[in-house]
Amino acid sequence: MQISNGLIFDLNEGFVSRELYTSGSMISVSSDPDTIVDASDCYVIPGLIDLHFHGCCGEDFSDASPEGLQTMADYELANGITYICPAGMTLPEEQLIKLCQNAARHQKTALSGAELVGINLEGPFLSHAKKGAQNGEYLREPNLELLNRLQVESNHLVKLVTVAPELPGALDFIREAKGVTVSLGHTAADYDTAAAAFKAGAKQATHLYNGMIPLHHRNPGVIGAAFDCPEAKVELICDGIHIHPSTIRLTFQIYGKERVILISDTLRAAGMPDGKYTLGGQDVVVHGNRATLAENPDTLAGSATNLMDCMRTAISFGIPLADAVRAATYNPAQALGLEDRIGTLDVGKDATMILLNKNDLSIRNIIFHGAIL
């Protein structure tokens, strides 16, 4: 396949005018194309990667439903999110095991939809003080044995785990956790505690600003500690609800385009009308893009905006197109340890890309593993 006349995303140069070739499911140096795709008036970008979302289309990853996970994967792919790492909530151990088993089964048997590339354990190792929409009944201290059991049940799909570093045993957990990225979140940790956690091996902050103490000039908390750890990346929910546009711009400026990961944090209401839904066994009310706990309307409960729309929102806030694309593709690929396979349009990577119309960033074509959908 040959993709012609488009502006191709390049990690170092932004967007460049060049031909792009695929051979089978891979991007190639050149080919004798049997298909030519005209990308005139299009940006050609890698498929998006959402490493933190809970559900969509009335389904939730935590339900551990095979049909529900397939519905989620189909919706994500249709919206240009080609690789997914769905997130579980704070749940009883038996339900965490079920969602891990469901993900492992799906990865082996799925015939359609976005590719499942990991599991994100947002709970249960979180702080009661900053639990947000997590179910406090099932919160627990960091437990390496539980993490290892879930890794086995998931066929080692667990790629991310959120930890409140002030909890007993948290620093030892962070030092000893292998094969996962530890992210700090749902935490009341002060700067020193968060800095110690990053020094111990944490590499990410879960939905920065949300579920943590705010940035204060005498106690910058996780926000400041993440800034002072050059290896740490930070997640941003860019739905226009969770974070003010000015703060989005500030975050890209101070952390740099290399360290920001756009996430959606969607719940099952994404792609659905306003109404009442559930998240982690708790009732949620959705009006437009805003989702809140029914019993506490001041507590946000995830979002209803998919990652492609979050990326468009970031761009509308003034984030340069190439920076927003990077934050939704290459940076999450790095966080998942998959940057050698996905996240850019370099030769040898997966031939998965989205053609976006220049005028409104709507999707013209989706090419997934070398096939035009």
Side-chain angles (χ1 to χ4, degrees), residues 78-127:
N79 285 279
I81 303 113
T82 54
Y83 303 97
I84 55 174
C85 179
M89 294 289 288
T90 297
L91 301 163
E93 181 175 343
E94 57 268 25
Q95 191 63 25
L96 292 173
I97 288 174
K98 288 179 182 178
L99 68 83
C100 285
Q101 293 171 335
N102 188 47
R105 181 170 54 248
H106 176 89
Q107 190 192 52
K108 290 180 179 179
T109 62
L111 299 177
S112 66
E115 181 183 344
L116 191 147
V117 293
I119 294 170
N120 181 342
L121 294 179
E122 190 178 358
F125 310 130
L126 313 176
S127 162

Side-chain angles (χ1 to χ4, degrees), residues 51-82:
L51 57 69
H52 188 155
F53 80 108
H54 298 278
C56 52
C57 297
E59 306 292 344
D60 193 300
F61 180 56
S62 291
D63 294 342
S65 160
E67 297 79 12
L69 185 50
Q70 185 61 59
T71 296
M72 291 165 56
D74 290 340
Y75 169 85
E76 297 294 317
L77 181 57
N79 285 279
I81 303 113
T82 54

Side-chain angles (χ1 to χ4, degrees), residues 41-43 308-309 311-313 315-316 321 355-365:
D41 298 318
C42 279
Y43 298 109
M308 182 64 78
D309 283 335
M311 187 183 77
R312 294 184 183 114
T313 299
I315 294 164
S316 75
L321 174 65
L355 276 61
L356 297 178
N357 291 303
K358 284 184 182 178
N359 60 337
D360 61 359
L361 300 183
S362 61
I363 295 174
R364 182 186 295 183
N365 290 110

Side-chain angles (χ1 to χ4, degrees), residues 90-222:
T90 297
L91 301 163
E93 181 175 343
E94 57 268 25
Q95 191 63 25
L96 292 173
I97 288 174
K98 288 179 182 178
L99 68 83
C100 285
Q101 293 171 335
N102 188 47
R105 181 170 54 248
H106 176 89
Q107 190 192 52
K108 290 180 179 179
T109 62
L111 299 177
S112 66
E115 181 183 344
L116 191 147
V117 293
I119 294 170
N120 181 342
L121 294 179
E122 190 178 358
F125 310 130
L126 313 176
S127 162
H128 278 273
K130 291 292 183 179
K131 64 183 179 62
Q134 301 282 337
N135 193 330
E137 183 179 351
Y138 303 116
L139 292 173
R140 57 190 299 172
E141 295 175 2
N143 185 305
L144 196 62
E145 289 74 21
L146 173 56
L147 174 62
N148 291 338
R149 287 196 296 274
L150 296 175
Q151 279 287 36
V152 170
E153 296 293 343
S154 70
N155 195 25
H156 297 278
L157 273 174
V158 177
K159 302 296 184 183
L160 290 164
V161 58
T162 297
V163 173
E166 70 271 29
L167 296 178
L171 294 184
D172 287 339
F173 176 94
I174 293 169
R175 291 188 191 98
E176 296 170 16
K178 305 300 180 185
V180 298
T181 294
V182 176
S183 187
L184 305 187
H186 288 282
T187 171
D190 60 14
Y191 173 86
D192 290 340
T193 302
F198 284 119
K199 185 176 181 180
K203 289 291 188 291
Q204 200 159 302
T206 300
H207 44 51
L208 195 72
Y209 306 111
N210 299 109
M212 58 188 62
I213 64 172
L215 182 69
H216 187 277
H217 58 286
R218 285 191 296 273
N219 182 16
V222 171

